[in-house]
Amino acid sequence: MLQVQPTHYRPFLKWAGGKSKLIDQYIPYFPLSFTNYYEPFLGGGAVFFYFCGVKPDANKFISDINPELINTYCCIKNNVEPLISLLKTHQLQHNRDYYYKVRLHWEGSEIERAARFIYLNKTCFNGLYRENLRGLFNVPMGKYKNPTICNEDLLRSVSVAIQSAAVSLKPYDEISSKNEQDFVYFDPPYYPLSATSSFTTYSRYVFKEAEQIKLRDTFAELANWGVKVMLSNSNCAFVRELYADFNIYEILASRAINSKAEKRGKITELLITSY
């Protein structure tokens, strides 16, 4: 019998903490079967795009609390060609002054906002997403000689992948999944390993100890319903204690966000499953 190779999809955003390089390590821990896939901390969506290729028939539900991120996914899904046109304009005008001018202004149509989001993502420091208390993006420009701001083929490929997904703006604890055919993957802001490594303000909403405990409670509630639940987090005593009742595995990862290059390197993270 002819073996049909799965379509390979990949993220269109650079994303701090993205899982593209960890997928091969995750594969042995993914459930063997599921009908519905939920990814509520969407970010760059590496695991979602992986399943778009290998499980095209699964129902997929992706969400996040970041309105600009979700608007961007929706625009790629519904209006990719106008979005590409705007990104070409950003590509032509890109320089330091232009970056900070664009960063300052978030007004505009949904497509204009999506184009700004991708432009800033491709040109900011390390693909980091951070907001101030007013909800304004405040990451400085990265040091890239010739950043690829408009990858037309990739954006069209992503648009195809997202067509079959339900995209929504909502918090992780509003998942409607409650049966054994559901698989939920949580990739929250990681619990900091130290005070200097802390990055819990992915948006204006912080994600500290109380939020980590609330997430664990949601994880346990879904598991009690028979849902297959997987979660990524930092390898530390606090997280290990939180999820002591579940399966905990170590994953080898790279530390990319640090102001000092010598402190970037291999570390271990945790992958936790309910099954």
Side-chain angles (χ1 to χ4, degrees):
M1 178 181 292
L2 177 65
Q3 295 294 319
V4 178
Q5 294 297 316
T7 302
H8 178 68
Y9 296 106
R10 62 186 179 90
F12 64 96
L13 295 171
K14 296 167 58 180
W15 205 257
K19 298 301 183 286
S20 294
K21 295 181 179 180
L22 301 182
I23 291 292
D24 287 344
Q25 293 185 71
Y26 281 17
I27 290 174
Y29 304 105
F30 288 143
L32 295 177
S33 64
F34 57 89
T35 302
N36 306 306
Y37 175 71
Y38 295 80
E39 189 170 338
F41 291 94
L42 181 56
V47 177
F48 160 70
F49 286 114
Y50 169 77
F51 284 125
C52 284
V54 302
K55 286 191 71 69
D57 295 332
N59 301 312
K60 301 175 183 70
F61 304 86
I62 54 178
S63 56
D64 202 283
I65 61 168
N66 185 328
E68 298 303 329
L69 176 68
I70 292 301
N71 173 66
T72 300
Y73 273 88
C74 288
C75 286
I76 291 178
K77 179 178 181 178
N78 301 317
N79 294 288
V80 69
E81 294 304 326
L83 178 60
I84 286 172
S85 295
L86 287 177
L87 283 171
K88 288 180 178 179
T89 300
H90 285 307
Q91 181 96 49
L92 289 172
Q93 299 187 67
H94 173 62
N95 58 42
R96 181 178 178 82
D97 289 340
Y98 185 75
Y99 174 88
Y100 286 103
K101 178 181 177 181
V102 172
R103 194 186 78 165
L104 186 63
H105 298 288
W106 278 98
E107 299 85 357
S109 67
E110 292 178 346
I111 296 176
E112 288 171 337
R113 285 166 41 217
R116 289 188 188 110
F117 188 93
I118 295 174
Y119 165 69
L120 293 173
N121 173 264
K122 296 297 184 181
T123 54
C124 74
F125 173 74
N126 270 2
L128 182 65
Y129 189 90
R130 184 184 63 204
E131 294 179 352
N132 61 24
L133 294 177
R134 293 185 296 158
L136 300 176
F137 182 78
N138 64 354
V139 179
M141 189 175 85
K143 296 179 180 179
Y144 308 111
K145 290 184 178 180
N146 188 27
T148 301
I149 294 167
C150 182
N151 187 331
E152 298 181 50
D153 291 340
L154 176 58
L155 289 171
R156 293 187 179 107
S157 172
V158 167
S159 182
V160 170
I162 301 177
Q163 293 306 311
S164 60
V167 187
S168 57
L169 176 68
K170 63 182 180 182
Y172 70 87
D173 55 353
E174 291 186 7
I175 292 175
S176 58
S177 166
K178 286 187 179 177
N179 68 70
E180 295 178 355
Q181 293 303 311
D182 297 334
F183 173 40
V184 177
Y185 171 56
F186 289 124
D187 184 23
Y190 280 18
Y191 188 76
L193 296 175
S194 66
T196 56
S197 68
S198 178
F199 178 63
T200 57
T201 49
Y202 152 76
S203 68
R204 78 197 79 169
Y205 308 106
V206 297
F207 207 91
K208 296 186 178 180
E209 285 193 9
E211 290 74 22
Q212 295 283 353
I213 293 170
K214 180 181 176 184
L215 174 58
R216 186 278 316 276
D217 292 344
T218 300
F219 185 108
E221 179 183 1
L222 291 171
N224 287 337
W225 281 98
V227 177
K228 302 174 183 72
V229 195
M230 173 184 281
L231 177 141
S232 303
N233 214 319
S234 56
N235 187 0
C236 63
F238 175 74
V239 175
R240 284 182 174 274
E241 183 177 351
L242 275 184
Y243 293 93
D245 294 334
F246 301 98
N247 302 306
I248 300 177
Y249 310 97
E250 290 190 5
I251 299 294
L252 188 63
S254 297
R255 182 192 300 276
I257 300 178
N258 198 299
S259 58
K260 297 181 179 180
E262 66 272 15
K263 292 188 177 181
R264 301 172 192 165
K266 295 294 183 180
I267 61 170
T268 56
E269 298 180 354
L270 297 183
L271 193 63
I272 300 159
T273 67
S274 65
Y275 48 88

